[in-house]
Amino acid sequence: MLMKTLRPSPISSTVDFDKDGVQHGFLRLPYSRDDSAWGSVMIPVCVVRNGTGPTALLTGGNHGDEYEGPIALYDLARSLDAKNVSGTVIIVPAMNYPAFRAGTRTSPIDKGNMNRSFPGRPDGTVTEKIADYFQRELLPRADIVLDFHSGGRTLDFVPFCAAHVLPDKQQEKKAFDAVEAFAAPYSVQMLEIDTVGMYDTAAEEMGKVFVTTELGGGGTSRAETVRIAKRGVLNVLRHSGIVAGAVEKQPTRWLDMPSGDCFCFAEDEGMIEPLVDLGEPMKEGQVVARIYPVGRTGAAPAEIATKMSGILAARHFPGLVKAGDCVSVTAVVVD
Ligand SMILES: [Zn+2]
């Protein structure tokens, strides 16, 4: 009987993940198209290795319109010296490179959302092929995985590092210890709206220590959130024993997202009037935003009320909102 085996990934790496030193190269994905018959997508990758030791896999640009992670990781890739490393650091600052180049959340090639494409397919779309390479080639190498996110063009967050509640409590504790080490102003036990196809889930199901962030948003970055990202990634490497030195501790407030009641979605389209700013406290039932119908004057706005007490952890970013958009996320302060 023939065994059905997955075909190898079409992606080839120009760096050798098992070689000591600093290498800058590409994950080259063949992509035949109108403007390049035998062309490729060239995803930048850096590997810094010094002997045996743990491996950290660091990614930004999973969504192409989020910038703190790519800034911190391009900076780390050009500054990390192999002699300061024990083990291996794999840096992919712009994971969904076509999306990153377009400044969009999803890929302009196939509309693929990288964080809904796992485990991917070697014979799938461009986005699925990248996901498959991470699933079968990069994740298995990693002991700790840090995947940077921010709100992108349509959300804005208080700056936080996060991990998920997991069935394996030892794995969960290691992840929350790494979140604490990242030392963002907020640390979150994060609840996902929809975990199917997430990179997070793929890494966690492989037993990896997985931490993620939400460091701002609006399709740009700020000096403060970039500083948090740069400090956080070095702290995670120090915490993992890959880079020498003590974790640079900062006060952090722990937040919990205990249920789907954290999320408020618009049921109307219109113009948003925010009544609460990020980080401000809210009481259950409090109106956090109004949505004005803009087609006529004299119409009353729809009110968005938080279903639980806490702080405003995230908000819709653009001034106009559509039905179904996430308007606000409430997180509960853990004392
Ligand atoms: Zn994201």
Side-chain angles (χ1 to χ4, degrees), residues 62-63 65-66 105 115 148-152 213-214:
N62 177 325
H63 294 129
D65 60 350
E66 305 172 3
R105 181 174 182 82
N115 223 22
F148 278 102
H149 288 259
S150 301
T213 69
E214 296 290 357

Side-chain angles (χ1 to χ4, degrees), residues 254-267:
W254 278 89
L255 303 174
D256 189 17
M257 294 169 62
S259 78
D261 282 349
C262 293
F263 304 100
C264 288
F265 298 94
E267 296 181 359

Side-chain angles (χ1 to χ4, degrees), residues 11 17 23 55 59 61 76 116 132-133 135 148 223 226 244 259 267 294-295 307 322:
I11 294 179
F17 295 106
Q23 299 169 78
T55 294
T59 46
L76 182 72
R116 302 291 182 275
D132 170 68
Y133 188 82
Q135 176 82 27
F148 278 102
V226 169
S259 78
E267 296 181 359
V294 293
K307 287 162 270 182
K322 304 179 299 303

Side-chain angles (χ1 to χ4, degrees), residues 31-43:
Y31 171 49
S32 178
R33 57 197 192 268
D34 287 346
D35 70 341
S36 190
W38 288 3
S40 302
V41 176
M42 302 290 275
I43 303 162

Side-chain angles (χ1 to χ4, degrees), residues 31 45 50 98 105 137 156 171 185 222 245 298 306 325:
Y31 171 49
V45 61
N50 184 11
R105 181 174 182 82
E137 301 291 337
D156 197 12
Q171 184 189 7
R222 289 181 287 122
T306 176
D325 285 352

Side-chain angles (χ1 to χ4, degrees), residues 145-165:
V145 183
L146 168 59
D147 184 39
F148 278 102
H149 288 259
S150 301
R153 285 199 260 188
T154 65
L155 290 172
D156 197 12
F157 286 85
V158 294
F160 67 76
C161 186
H164 301 110
V165 173

